[in-house]
Amino acid sequence: MKSKLLMLVCCFFMLTNCSIDKNDDTPEEITIAQWNLTHVSGGIAGVDIDFELGEIIWVFDEYNGVLSIGNTNTDNTLEDGLDSGEYSFFFTEDAPNVYITISGTERGSITVSEDQKHFILNQNETLSGGTGADGFIYEFEKTTVTVEI
């Protein structure tokens, strides 16, 4: 059961990250899954923040273990996760949960919606078994972009 859940999450990010459509008559196209941070809640102060699609985008490169973040939020008073940049990442399964570690720091549990168009990163659920109430909950929505190469 453990390995099936981890495989499901890994496949989810891998298969939704990009695909190459090749036809000799047309240029190659790559479809990239972009995960838009849409809502942040929780924390000690009890924040409740909405972000516009495209404002904060996470792109997972499963093959290389690299998370690329584009964060255009300029309001430093708002909790918006990580700054723009590239970060190493990996998933760890501890059934029934899957956890994400980014740049050597565990960030919390990952829950993917059944339709695979949304995921939640919950800092209140950690691999060490801790469940807190002062971490943040980040909600993401998937969009895609197709580019020619």
Side-chain angles (χ1 to χ4, degrees):
M1 176 66 181
K2 283 180 156 185
S3 60
K4 287 181 184 180
L5 182 60
L6 182 59
M7 181 70 82
L8 175 66
V9 170
C10 288
C11 287
F12 164 72
F13 282 108
M14 190 177 332
L15 296 175
T16 61
N17 187 32
C18 67
S19 63
I20 299 176
D21 299 322
K22 186 173 181 178
N23 184 331
D24 293 333
D25 299 316
T26 61
E28 288 185 23
E29 294 182 339
I30 297 176
T31 302
I32 301 171
Q34 299 179 329
W35 293 97
N36 297 262
L37 179 62
T38 57
H39 188 80
V40 178
S41 60
I44 294 173
V47 302
D48 187 17
I49 306 164
D50 290 318
F51 292 101
E52 297 292 322
L53 288 178
E55 192 171 357
I56 302 167
I57 298 173
W58 290 23
V59 176
F60 292 88
D61 177 351
E62 275 286 322
Y63 299 108
N64 297 306
V66 175
L67 169 61
S68 299
I69 298 177
N71 185 339
T72 61
N73 174 39
T74 58
D75 186 344
N76 291 332
T77 65
L78 298 178
E79 172 57 41
D80 61 4
L82 298 168
D83 292 332
S84 292
E86 291 189 343
Y87 302 87
S88 62
F89 78 97
F90 64 89
F91 298 108
T92 305
E93 180 190 12
D94 187 27
N97 298 317
V98 175
Y99 302 90
I100 187 169
T101 298
I102 302 172
S103 291
T105 302
E106 182 191 345
R107 297 293 176 162
S109 68
I110 295 281
T111 304
V112 179
S113 67
E114 212 171 288
D115 65 3
Q116 297 188 350
K117 294 182 180 179
H118 300 90
F119 84 86
I120 295 173
L121 169 54
N122 185 346
Q123 289 185 329
N124 294 312
E125 297 177 357
T126 62
L127 184 59
S128 62
T131 55
D134 57 357
F136 293 102
I137 297 173
Y138 301 93
E139 299 176 32
F140 293 83
E141 180 177 329
K142 178 181 162 187
T143 58
T144 58
V145 62
T146 302
V147 295
E148 288 185 8
I149 57 170

